[in-house]
Amino acid sequence: MLIERCLGPVDLGDKPLMQAALEKLWITDRERLLSCARRHLALIDFYADRDAGLEGKLPAPTARPKT
């Protein structure tokens, strides 16, 4: 799951959009962006923990901002 490719932005098509539809697409884009960022941060933490374990060191807990 951590190495899955992130979903790209929503296709807006080539027709004018009503504000409600645009807002819904914006929310979908935002959810995709946040999901992608969380996965990448989790992957970074995984590798840091793994590498520290291989070196016989315990990693210091890292506080990640909640997004």
Side-chain angles (χ1 to χ4, degrees):
M1 178 177 149
L2 295 180
I3 58 173
E4 287 178 16
R5 183 177 299 267
C6 293
L7 296 173
V10 174
D11 182 6
L12 299 177
D14 59 354
K15 298 178 182 176
L17 296 170
M18 300 295 290
Q19 183 171 346
L22 186 61
E23 289 173 1
K24 183 176 179 181
L25 294 172
W26 181 84
I27 290 169
T28 301
D29 276 345
R30 190 76 181 153
E31 289 170 345
R32 288 180 177 188
L33 176 64
L34 292 173
S35 173
C36 183
R38 287 182 186 119
R39 278 202 320 269
H40 281 109
L41 291 173
L43 186 59
I44 289 168
D45 289 344
F46 167 79
Y47 283 125
D49 290 346
R50 182 204 61 185
D51 292 349
L54 292 172
E55 295 172 1
K57 301 175 187 174
L58 292 177
T62 56
R64 296 269 185 210
K66 295 193 182 228
T67 52

